[in-house]
Amino acid sequence: MLLASLDRIPEWQRARTSLAKRHTKSSSKLSYAYHRVSEGECLSSIAERYKTTVAAISKANNIRNGQFIKAGQRLRIPLNGGKVRGSK
């Protein structure tokens, strides 16, 4: 009887639907590429390659002013939906 009446509980359906919509909206706005840092690369050259900013990369990776990136480090690169050249 419980399983048969689950479809008639309106609060459960609304909560599930609004949660699904919220998840879809937030995930569709954000897209990321991942980049493995090569020796000699800096944030500005990586930002130029992916057509984004140093600030956006820093924010996505919790990099503070004065912190260095290291060869082999994997960075999340926020994208604006443009065409992106792949990493080396």
Side-chain angles (χ1 to χ4, degrees):
M1 291 177 71
L2 175 65
L3 291 175
S5 63
L6 279 178
D7 290 333
R8 290 183 276 162
I9 302 174
E11 291 79 19
W12 181 76
Q13 290 177 344
R14 275 195 301 263
R16 184 175 179 190
T17 303
S18 65
L19 180 62
K21 284 180 184 176
R22 245 183 284 141
H23 178 69
T24 304
K25 286 180 184 177
S26 65
S27 63
S28 66
K29 288 182 182 178
L30 300 176
S31 61
Y32 294 95
Y34 290 89
H35 178 82
R36 183 78 58 189
V37 178
S38 298
E39 193 161 333
E41 282 187 311
C42 60
L43 285 177
S44 60
S45 65
I46 295 168
E48 185 179 322
R49 177 182 200 160
Y50 289 92
K51 296 181 178 27
T52 188
T53 64
V54 171
I57 296 172
S58 296
K59 185 176 180 180
N61 293 282
N62 298 319
I63 298 172
R64 296 186 183 131
N65 287 341
Q67 282 186 313
F68 294 100
I69 57 173
K70 299 174 186 164
Q73 185 175 351
R74 186 173 179 238
L75 298 175
R76 282 174 48 147
I77 312 295
L79 304 175
N80 294 333
K83 291 184 180 179
V84 175
R85 289 176 272 162
S87 62
K88 294 180 183 177

